[in-house]
Amino acid sequence: MLYMLRLTSLFAAAASIAIPAISQAAENPFAGRWDINVTAGNTTYPSWMEVLGRDGALKVRVQPRGGSVYPASEARMENSHLLVKLNGNATWDLTADGNKISGTQKRGDAASAQVSGVRAPALKRNPPRAWTNPEPLFNGKDLTGWEPVGNAANHWVARDGVLLNETKGANLRTTRKFDDFELHIELNCPEDGNSGVYLRGRYEMQVEYEPAGTEDKFHRMGAIYGMVPVTADSPRKVGEWESFDITLVGRMVTIVRDGVKIIDNQEIAGITGGALDSNEGEPGPFYIQGDHTGGMKYRNITIAVPKR
């Protein structure tokens, strides 16, 4: 995904430290993480917010519809309302009622959208004792089990065992949904290529080869976009096949790239830009971004789930 607001990385790292929700809520009814829907006219899209209260000061970060999570430039309480200044000169005016929030998005004094949300689920789970045998999600012959997302023209084709996006257009998602899983996927990204693999349709593993040196560790190949940085440097392999093994249990993600662990059992705090929805407690599909650049190739996509 094209990156926005790169200055968020240090804040994101600091905000990832867990704070007991119960003690925060006793001091501030907005404290914690929120899965949000924003409705403007006939359009509803997902968002996310985290509110931290430390030393009497509020720290808020927001995941907008697209781009990267960022720290709100201003957040304050006015009576029972939380006012959060967003990028683009918009403001959320929110009230809390237990595990729900609601309010309006304003530009100046005029409401431009309605905002509603629920507390994000903790998703704390133990790893399964065993996984099923991997099964293919892509048969290498056609798009069975996959469907385009949105109104853009679909340019995904199956060719010689490869899932190819011939030019930018529609995103592509699985018709099946998953909860916890082990995903194996191989990809080939060209120079200046930009794509992403969305886990449960909500958390983007970044896929990109933009100019060397332009990406920080929160937006580099293999990072969970804006939320979880890679912790190991890997060589650029422009135009070459690379393998990724991704394990997601609850919010905890581990990613192994070409046999090297680049993310080791780290928490994904919330949805990333481009998420299909903000329903974090539900299973979701995989989806592959096709709306940025063409030339992306994927193959050998397999899934294992917890053994019952």
Side-chain angles (χ1 to χ4, degrees):
M1 173 178 288
L2 292 175
Y3 56 92
M4 302 166 59
L5 307 163
R6 300 312 173 127
L7 54 82
T8 63
S9 298
L10 289 177
F11 182 89
S16 65
I17 300 174
I19 295 178
I22 294 176
S23 62
Q24 288 190 82
E27 301 172 2
N28 180 353
F30 295 96
R33 296 168 177 169
W34 299 89
D35 288 339
I36 291 173
N37 286 310
V38 180
T39 301
N42 295 323
T43 301
T44 297
Y45 57 87
S47 189
W48 177 88
M49 178 178 69
E50 181 177 58
V51 180
L52 301 177
R54 295 180 181 175
D55 301 325
L58 287 179
K59 291 185 178 181
V60 176
R61 59 174 176 164
V62 175
Q63 175 60 66
R65 185 178 190 178
S68 189
V69 64
Y70 65 88
S73 58
E74 182 181 349
R76 70 182 191 277
M77 297 293 299
E78 283 192 2
N79 299 319
S80 60
H81 290 239
L82 173 64
L83 303 180
V84 180
K85 188 174 182 180
L86 310 176
N87 287 343
N89 297 319
T91 299
W92 281 348
D93 183 345
L94 304 172
T95 59
D97 182 10
N99 291 324
K100 296 182 180 181
I101 56 173
S102 61
T104 57
Q105 180 171 296
K106 297 180 178 180
R107 294 186 182 277
D109 294 328
S112 60
Q114 299 300 309
V115 182
S116 62
V118 297
R119 287 196 180 276
L123 301 182
K124 292 183 178 179
R125 302 174 187 151
N126 293 323
R129 294 183 177 181
W131 299 89
T132 60
N133 292 327
E135 61 174 306
L137 287 178
F138 170 56
N139 64 19
K141 301 175 182 178
D142 55 38
L143 300 185
T144 298
W146 297 80
E147 60 188 7
V149 182
N151 297 320
N154 178 40
H155 299 294
W156 290 96
V157 297
R159 184 177 299 161
D160 300 324
V162 171
L163 184 60
L164 168 67
N165 190 29
E166 294 180 309
T167 188
K168 72 176 184 179
N171 301 322
L172 195 69
R173 70 180 172 194
T174 59
T175 57
R176 294 171 59 190
K177 296 182 178 181
F178 301 91
D179 203 343
D180 297 340
F181 58 80
E182 287 185 332
L183 175 73
H184 175 85
I185 188 167
E186 298 172 14
L187 61 88
N188 186 314
C189 182
E191 187 72 62
D192 297 324
N194 195 304
S195 181
V197 177
Y198 279 75
L199 315 177
R200 297 192 197 120
R202 301 180 189 108
Y203 315 116
E204 180 191 8
M205 187 194 80
Q206 171 74 315
V207 175
E208 60 80 34
Y209 275 133
E210 295 182 10
T214 63
E215 294 286 31
D216 61 37
K217 291 186 177 183
F218 281 85
H219 302 90
R220 193 173 296 171
M221 175 75 85
I224 301 299
Y225 193 85
M227 287 287 183
V228 183
V230 297
T231 57
D233 291 326
S234 301
R236 289 167 59 90
K237 295 185 178 180
V238 177
E240 300 179 28
W241 286 103
E242 306 178 54
S243 69
F244 287 81
D245 291 282
I246 307 163
T247 302
L248 183 62
V249 176
R251 294 186 177 276
M252 307 306 291
V253 64
T254 296
I255 300 179
V256 177
R257 177 184 178 188
D258 286 336
V260 176
K261 192 174 291 184
I262 60 173
I263 294 177
D264 186 4
N265 198 37
Q266 296 299 301
E267 183 186 43
I268 305 176
I271 67 171
T272 61
L276 295 177
D277 61 48
S278 59
N279 304 326
E280 291 191 90
E282 300 179 4
F286 293 102
Y287 98 75
I288 301 176
Q289 229 172 15
D291 62 354
H292 283 359
T293 61
M296 291 300 312
K297 300 175 183 177
Y298 295 88
R299 70 181 185 189
N300 295 337
I301 309 172
T302 64
I303 183 80
V305 299
K307 201 168 187 178
R308 304 300 181 188

